[in-house]
Amino acid sequence: MQFVFATNNPNKLKEVQELLPNSIKLLSLKDINCFEEIAETGQTLQENALIKAKYIYEKYGYNCFSDDTGLEVEILNNEPGVYSARYAGETTNSENNMQKLLSNLKNKTNRNAQFRTSIALIIKGKEYLFEGVCKGEILTKKQGKKGFGYDPIFKPKGFSKSFAEMNSLEKGAISHRGKALEKLIAFLLNKID
Ligand code: IMP
């Protein structure tokens, strides 16, 4: 079975590729000559994931899946959530997003947070949704250099390392995206058999 994974993020592609069984072949957006930026205009993670998967299916005709992830911080009413990529502004980067979050949590003792990933899958025009959550806390300063996004300031529950101190397989085994992907893979393997 072959699918497009609708992402331009090489880190995500690597994480997902490592977790998939050999029977599921992955194509990147580059592989299908798609170089467009697909606008994430939805109000929820699910909507955004569906927008991207639908766009590729309708324009390029490939079975496709797409993910959207948000970091939900308890004391900030689950912000930044669906706005995680744009927390510090429309044209920002992960460093600015992390600094804004650290500053908003300054002197706060409740640092509970969770990552949530929604995956939308489209096969022959039919839509399916999968979700994964990883609970943890926001550190007071950055730790580690691996990973991407908010990884240096997120410590998953029950671990003493941040996501940025884990390799991609360690992270994938417990992460939001890993859990959502597990559900997707179980669904796909069931379909193939
Ligand atoms: P998106 O799913 O690529 O739209 O990600 C939304 C925001 O969350 C971006 O700022 C990403 O860098 C961040 N993000 C997504 N997945 C992860 C992750 O696994 N770890 C840390 N940050 C992430």
Side-chain angles (χ1 to χ4, degrees):
M1 253 188 174
Q2 177 172 276
F3 291 91
V4 171
F5 178 28
T7 183
N8 284 314
N9 182 335
N11 299 290
K12 277 192 189 176
L13 203 63
K14 178 171 178 279
E15 275 188 14
V16 169
Q17 229 147 22
E18 284 181 354
L19 297 173
L20 284 178
N22 288 336
S23 54
I24 301 173
K25 297 271 172 276
L26 211 58
L27 294 172
S28 69
L29 290 177
K30 225 165 93 188
D31 292 331
I32 61 163
N33 289 319
C34 170
F35 298 101
E36 295 121 87
E37 194 62 51
I38 307 165
E40 298 184 357
T41 51
Q43 302 293 305
T44 64
L45 299 173
Q46 290 190 346
E47 274 176 34
N48 278 340
L50 261 177
I51 287 171
K52 288 183 276 186
K54 263 189 181 162
Y55 182 89
I56 298 303
Y57 182 78
E58 283 166 11
K59 183 153 181 199
Y60 294 84
Y62 286 93
N63 289 331
C64 174
F65 68 89
S66 157
D67 84 322
D68 200 35
T69 294
L71 177 59
E72 301 172 341
V73 181
E74 192 172 274
I75 202 164
L76 301 178
N77 297 319
N78 290 334
E79 282 180 4
V82 73
Y83 301 107
S84 295
R86 297 163 270 164
Y87 193 39
E90 278 302 322
T91 52
T92 192
N93 57 32
S94 293
E95 183 58 36
N96 293 338
N97 286 336
M98 283 191 288
Q99 290 313 327
K100 179 168 178 186
L101 185 55
L102 287 177
S103 149
N104 284 346
L105 290 181
K106 211 170 174 190
N107 303 323
K108 298 273 194 293
T109 49
N110 176 357
R111 306 189 71 91
N112 294 338
Q114 61 184 25
F115 275 111
R116 184 191 301 276
T117 290
S118 282
I119 292 181
L121 166 73
I122 305 200
I123 304 182
K124 296 181 191 158
K126 268 191 139 182
E127 298 169 7
Y128 306 89
L129 288 163
F130 307 89
E131 193 172 83
V133 168
C134 180
K135 290 184 183 296
E137 62 185 73
I138 304 299
L139 296 164
T140 51
K141 58 181 171 38
K142 293 195 288 175
Q143 273 180 218
K145 301 225 174 301
K146 300 188 185 86
F148 67 98
Y150 296 88
D151 278 349
I153 58 169
F154 184 83
K155 186 175 76 64
K157 197 173 176 178
F159 290 79
S160 54
K161 301 196 268 193
S162 77
F163 267 163
E165 293 172 301
M166 299 181 175
N167 65 40
S168 50
L169 280 178
E170 275 179 287
K171 179 184 166 189
I174 54 165
S175 78
H176 41 298
R177 193 160 22 259
K179 288 178 186 161
L181 210 60
E182 249 174 51
K183 295 180 188 168
L184 170 78
I185 291 168
F187 175 83
L188 290 176
L189 291 179
N190 195 32
K191 259 196 141 17
I192 293 169
D193 290 341

